[in-house]
Amino acid sequence: MSSGKQFQSPPSSAFCSFRRSLLTLAVLSLISFICFSLKSLKSPLQNPSPTTLVSAKVETENVAEEEKKDEISGVFHSPEVFRLNYGEMERKFKVYIYPDGDPNTFYQTPRKLTGKYAGEGYFFQNIRESRFRTEDPDQADLFFIPISCHKMRGKRKEGMVFKLDFEKAYDHVNWTFLDFVLRMKGFGDKWRLWVNGCFRYANLSILINGKPRGRFGATRGLKIKMNKSIVAGINIEVQVVRDIAAIVGCGIGEWLLNYLGLPLGGNPLSKEFWTPVLDKGTSYENMTLIVQSYVEGLISKYPYWNRTLGADHFFVTCHDVGVRATEGLPLLVKNSIRVVCSPSYDVGFIPHKDVALPQVLQPFALPAGGNDVENRTMLGFWAGHRNSKIRVILARVWENDTDLYVLNNRINRATGDLLYQKRFYITKYCICPGGSQVNSARIADSIHYGCIPVILSNYYDLPFNDILDWRKFSIIVKESDVYQLKQILQNIPDEEFLALHRNLIKVQRHFQWNSPPTKYDAFHMDWAWLSLSDLGQAQAQPGPNFTSNWDST
């Protein structure tokens, strides 16, 4: 029996030891598995493999690239080329601003950032705020000549002067009104009675060489011969004077108004009274002399102009003031880059050298138009002054049409608040005929308010023409097609109109000035075009600057 007990004991002890070993192994395996699992979960965050990093980076870059491509697609001649050039411009392009000149005349922002000079004013302000400016001329790609002709002109007061021509018949005067005016001006009763008696009852004569010649009665009053009368502007834009002359029906003169070579209304005892006899210059000619002296001073003081004969220099001017003030300087006009709002070929604009600055009348009176095509029920719209041949024809042909809302003049403000601007919101196509220059501020207005611009102007180098494909967001017709304008617009399919409108919304930011400037706004688009001009990369795109490129049938 005892031998049997001794025989059974060892197997029981060995079995327990074996179970403990299995349990220990299982626990160790479980711990190892848990540690391995935790390490596997943490490893992608703490120690990613190079392959994982590269893959994630590529995916992120691809998403960003797609967003950028979508941001500039649809309205550019070559979106990818523009994107690459724009990025290169932002990284490397530099401009040096000449510091010389009278700070009250040259190196200052123009008088205001509103109206037709807004583009010039914003450019001067933006260039000082931008990353492109450098104080080192050796790093500069371009040299900016800070000429503000508008600033020069703004140093003087503005005014209008009428020179009236009277007939001997002395007709069409309301004597009661004349007496009222004399009384309000402070004339006494005796003086007014004497004037009244002279014109009503006395015979008058004209002194010739100090002797009275002939007599005539004055019983019928005064008569003004408007066709021989003139109006002259004092520091006022030429177009404003033209508009007033057209309304009044008189001619246009220049100040100072002279009679027998001497200024009317002057003091002959003053030395300045005789200056016009000795000095034949006008205000524009004087401005030309100022600009010439300034530029010649820069050329003699600095070596940069002579390195390229001014090919890497540029200046900015908007409207006709700066154009007229610089057109007498062929060295400046032909050699340097002109950034102008009036890209007319008849004033020396050289395509693919000069840059067309968009004429933007900021601030806009109303918000930008958007996805509102369902509200655009009117086919076409134009209202404005008839200060060009094409505008006269447009008004005469279409002013009574029911589909084209064409007015013979500007909308009278007395009829309602901002009626002109509100018309843009309800119109599909806004007609933009050239005025005294080929350009029109209505183009930027149309773009802002979401109305597809109809460019009706021959030989117009449209802003950013080498970059933007204007046919994708506007309609361009020859001036000779004005008689078929309604049919041309009616023949545009709805699908094409919707595509044009979508693209128009995309380009709105390119025709907007900001302070400080923002990416792809008017300032940066001008720099993109300037960089192309400087690098000689501006390609002669088959764009709409020549009217023969558009088939209106």
Side-chain angles (χ1 to χ4, degrees):
M1 294 291 294
S2 61
S3 61
K5 291 180 181 179
Q6 291 176 358
F7 177 78
Q8 293 176 357
S9 178
S12 176
S13 176
F15 178 74
C16 292
S17 177
F18 179 70
R19 289 182 61 187
R20 284 195 297 271
S21 298
L22 288 176
L23 182 60
T24 301
L25 182 61
V27 171
L28 291 174
S29 299
L30 179 61
I31 293 173
S32 300
F33 178 76
I34 292 173
C35 292
F36 179 78
S37 300
L38 291 174
K39 186 176 181 181
S40 298
L41 290 173
K42 294 179 180 179
S43 60
L45 300 176
Q46 294 179 350
N47 190 24
S49 66
T51 304
T52 305
L53 279 175
V54 172
S55 177
K57 183 178 180 180
V58 170
E59 184 177 353
T60 303
E61 290 179 349
N62 288 339
V63 172
E65 288 296 321
E66 289 300 322
E67 290 178 352
K68 290 180 179 179
K69 289 180 181 179
D70 182 66
E71 197 175 31
I72 63 174
S73 64
V75 294
F76 290 82
H77 287 296
S78 302
E80 184 62 21
V81 172
F82 170 77
R83 187 181 63 82
L84 294 174
N85 287 341
Y86 189 93
E88 190 76 2
M89 175 199 72
E90 284 190 313
R91 289 189 296 271
K92 298 182 178 180
F93 202 70
K94 296 296 179 183
V95 62
Y96 176 76
I97 306 175
Y98 282 109
D100 299 70
D102 178 7
N104 295 321
T105 301
F106 298 101
Y107 195 55
Q108 290 248 340
T109 298
R111 284 185 291 152
K112 52 187 178 181
L113 298 178
T114 59
K116 63 190 68 176
Y117 296 104
E120 182 177 331
Y122 271 104
F123 194 100
F124 271 69
Q125 181 165 306
N126 287 170
I127 197 172
R128 291 199 287 268
E129 301 170 329
S130 72
R131 70 180 77 179
F132 304 116
R133 182 182 179 185
T134 178
E135 301 292 340
D136 184 1
D138 292 329
Q139 295 182 356
D141 299 289
L142 286 178
F143 293 82
F144 179 43
I145 304 175
I147 303 171
S148 176
C149 296
H150 182 226
K151 183 74 175 183
M152 277 187 273
R153 192 166 167 271
K155 296 173 70 176
R156 300 184 295 274
K157 294 183 179 181
E158 298 178 349
M160 298 291 296
V161 175
F162 286 92
K163 179 184 177 183
L164 302 178
D165 190 280
F166 294 94
E167 280 188 326
K168 290 195 301 182
Y170 289 87
D171 202 1
H172 301 303
V173 164
N174 186 321
W175 290 107
T176 303
F177 175 74
L178 179 60
D179 183 70
F180 171 78
V181 171
L182 291 174
R183 180 166 55 85
M184 295 303 293
K185 290 294 184 179
F187 288 92
D189 293 339
K190 290 185 178 180
W191 175 259
R192 288 188 290 108
L193 287 173
W194 178 80
V195 170
N196 190 39
C198 287
F199 281 104
R200 286 183 181 272
Y201 310 113
N203 290 326
L204 306 179
S205 62
I206 300 175
L207 289 176
I208 300 178
N209 296 328
K211 296 182 180 181
R213 300 290 182 180
R215 293 182 177 275
F216 55 92
T219 58
R220 297 185 61 194
L222 296 172
K223 182 178 181 181
I224 300 173
K225 295 167 37 174
M226 295 306 301
N227 61 329
K228 291 187 177 182
S229 300
I230 62 173
V231 60
I234 303 176
N235 303 319
I236 289 181
E237 298 146 17
V238 176
Q239 189 52 53
V240 175
V241 180
R242 289 175 180 171
D243 292 343
I244 293 177
I247 294 172
V248 177
C250 64
I252 300 174
E254 291 186 351
W255 184 257
L256 296 166
L257 293 177
N258 293 336
Y259 180 71
L260 299 179
L262 297 176
L264 293 177
N267 179 9
L269 299 179
S270 171
K271 185 184 297 184
E272 289 77 11
F273 176 81
W274 302 97
T275 300
V277 179
L278 304 175
D279 181 11
K280 298 181 180 179
T282 65
S283 60
Y284 284 108
E285 291 172 346
N286 290 334
M287 289 168 63
T288 300
L289 294 176
I290 295 173
V291 174
Q292 181 178 3
S293 176
Y294 175 64
V295 173
E296 289 177 350
L298 297 180
I299 294 175
S300 62
K301 182 177 181 179
Y302 299 95
Y304 312 117
W305 176 282
N306 292 325
R307 295 188 309 189
T308 63
L309 292 180
D312 56 358
H313 286 56
F314 75 98
F315 66 97
V316 178
T317 182
C318 212
H319 217 253
D320 58 352
V321 176
V323 172
R324 290 190 61 184
T326 56
E327 62 186 0
L329 303 173
L331 184 71
L332 184 67
V333 172
K334 293 182 179 180
N335 290 19
S336 64
I337 302 171
R338 296 197 305 165
V339 184
V340 296
C341 287
S342 302
S344 303
Y345 298 161
D346 59 351
V347 293
F349 184 84
I350 303 175
H352 308 301
K353 176 185 80 72
D354 298 335
V355 174
L357 191 72
Q359 189 173 7
V360 185
L361 304 186
Q362 284 188 225
F364 293 106
L366 295 172
N371 299 318
D372 50 6
V373 292
E374 66 279 357
N375 299 328
R376 301 184 179 276
T377 56
M378 180 65 65
L379 179 64
F381 164 62
W382 177 78
H385 290 314
R386 296 182 299 167
N387 52 9
S388 66
K389 181 179 179 181
I390 184 59
R391 292 189 176 190
V392 172
I393 297 174
L394 176 68
R396 185 176 70 241
V397 174
W398 298 109
E399 65 176 328
N400 296 320
D401 192 83
T402 56
D403 296 313
L404 298 180
Y405 187 81
V406 174
L407 294 184
N408 206 9
N409 212 321
R410 290 185 177 178
I411 297 179
N412 192 342
R413 295 181 180 179
T415 59
D417 188 33
L418 300 176
L419 289 182
Y420 173 77
Q421 289 82 359
K422 292 175 181 178
R423 275 283 169 184
F424 285 91
Y425 285 136
I426 62 173
T427 307
K428 290 182 177 180
Y429 302 99
C430 289
I431 306 166
C432 304
S436 57
Q437 302 288 339
V438 294
N439 62 309
S440 172
R442 284 173 181 79
I443 297 177
D445 287 342
S446 301
I447 293 173
H448 174 76
Y449 294 116
C451 183
I452 297 170
V454 179
I455 313 299
L456 190 61
S457 182
N458 288 350
Y459 307 114
Y460 181 13
D461 221 54
L462 292 161
F464 321 132
N465 187 45
D466 290 325
I467 299 174
L468 294 176
D469 189 349
W470 278 78
R471 286 197 180 92
K472 294 182 178 179
F473 58 89
S474 69
I475 302 297
I476 302 160
V477 297
K478 294 177 287 189
E479 289 185 1
S480 59
D481 289 330
V482 63
Y483 302 97
Q484 294 83 37
L485 184 59
K486 179 178 177 178
Q487 182 181 358
I488 292 172
L489 298 181
Q490 287 179 332
N491 289 342
I492 298 174
D494 291 340
E495 296 78 9
E496 183 177 346
F497 164 71
L498 293 175
L500 290 169
H501 189 265
R502 285 193 298 268
N503 288 334
L504 188 70
I505 304 306
K506 289 183 180 180
V507 302
Q508 283 178 336
R509 58 179 173 169
H510 303 319
F511 295 85
Q512 173 76 42
W513 292 93
N514 302 288
S515 182
T518 60
K519 192 170 185 177
Y520 297 135
D521 67 358
F523 176 73
H524 283 90
M525 292 296 288
D526 281 318
W527 276 116
W529 206 353
L530 277 168
S531 65
L532 290 178
S533 299
D534 174 60
L535 298 174
Q537 297 174 353
Q539 301 297 319
Q541 300 284 351
N545 52 327
F546 294 99
T547 56
S548 59
N549 291 323
W550 180 262
D551 183 7
S552 61
T553 57

